[in-house]
Amino acid sequence: MLTVTLAGCTQFPELDSATSAETRRAPYPSLLPVEDLRARVDAPRVTDQTTRALEIRVANLRARAERLRGTVIDQTSRARLDRKITIDVPQ
């Protein structure tokens, strides 16, 4: 909580000097209806080539996921880890 409070006291650089006078005098842009903006954008095109590339990517990701499902530690290493550790302490 203290960090957040102290962050509120931070001095920020002057942002007004980062903007040119011409930009500050420029009028605000016009707001357009979303429908007008969507009409200007081409519809995405899915071709046989993009479909095939996506199918290959999906197959590669599934194969990778299958490899990751395997055990992380092989049986030899697991047996070594499960052995009791004994330390000879001189008396």
Side-chain angles (χ1 to χ4, degrees):
M1 186 68 179
L2 179 63
T3 306
V4 175
T5 305
L6 290 176
C9 299
T10 303
Q11 295 294 323
F12 291 99
E14 289 295 325
L15 296 178
D16 290 338
S17 63
T19 308
S20 69
E22 180 182 330
T23 302
R24 282 186 293 232
R25 286 191 303 268
Y28 283 102
S30 301
L31 297 178
L32 298 174
V34 173
E35 292 78 21
D36 292 352
L37 296 175
R38 286 184 181 153
R40 296 181 189 181
V41 177
D42 292 334
R45 296 181 187 154
V46 177
T47 63
D48 290 338
Q49 184 179 2
T50 55
T51 301
R52 182 68 187 134
L54 187 58
E55 288 171 348
I56 290 170
R57 183 159 185 226
V58 167
N60 289 337
L61 288 171
R62 286 185 174 149
R64 182 177 176 201
E66 189 59 36
R67 286 191 308 272
L68 291 173
R69 283 190 189 101
T71 59
V72 176
I73 301 174
D74 59 49
Q75 284 186 325
T76 306
S77 298
R78 172 60 64 194
R80 187 173 52 94
L81 290 169
D82 287 341
R83 281 194 306 247
K84 182 179 177 182
I85 297 175
T86 56
I87 300 173
D88 292 331
V89 179
Q91 297 196 12

